[in-house]
Amino acid sequence: MIGLLVERNWARLNFALAFAIIFVSSVVIMYGIGNAWLSYSAPMSYLKATIAAGPFLPGDLLKSVLAALVAVTVKRSYPIIRVRPAVQPAR
């Protein structure tokens, strides 16, 4: 999900956009799925599963910031990486 969204927004990628893509794709979606599975497999409510995952949020936030910095640095360092043209559907 992250790679697809970064590739589609490569031409206008900046730190804020990279962070939003990475944070939403990795933290919000994965926490939603992970918390649902935890509440299903363990005898607890979804709210309790979400609260139990809370201590991991600061580390995931920091990893999202670092990943966004790396993505923007790669974009600036390698100007030969171009946006691929969209594939036209077969008729």
Side-chain angles (χ1 to χ4, degrees), residues 4-58:
L4 176 69
L5 291 173
V6 167
E7 184 177 350
R8 288 195 177 191
N9 294 290
W10 186 256
R12 61 187 183 111
L13 192 71
N14 58 24
F15 175 77
L17 181 59
F19 175 76
I21 290 170
I22 292 165
F23 187 77
V24 169
S25 296
S26 65
V27 176
V28 175
I29 293 172
M30 295 309 291
Y31 270 55
I33 295 168
N35 294 345
W37 178 254
L38 181 60
S39 68
Y40 171 77
S41 63
M44 66 175 63
S45 68
Y46 186 81
L47 178 61
K48 285 185 180 179
T50 303
I51 291 170
F56 298 101
L57 193 58

Side-chain angles (χ1 to χ4, degrees), residues 64-75:
S64 295
V65 168
L66 292 175
L69 287 171
V70 168
V72 171
T73 302
V74 167
K75 182 181 182 223

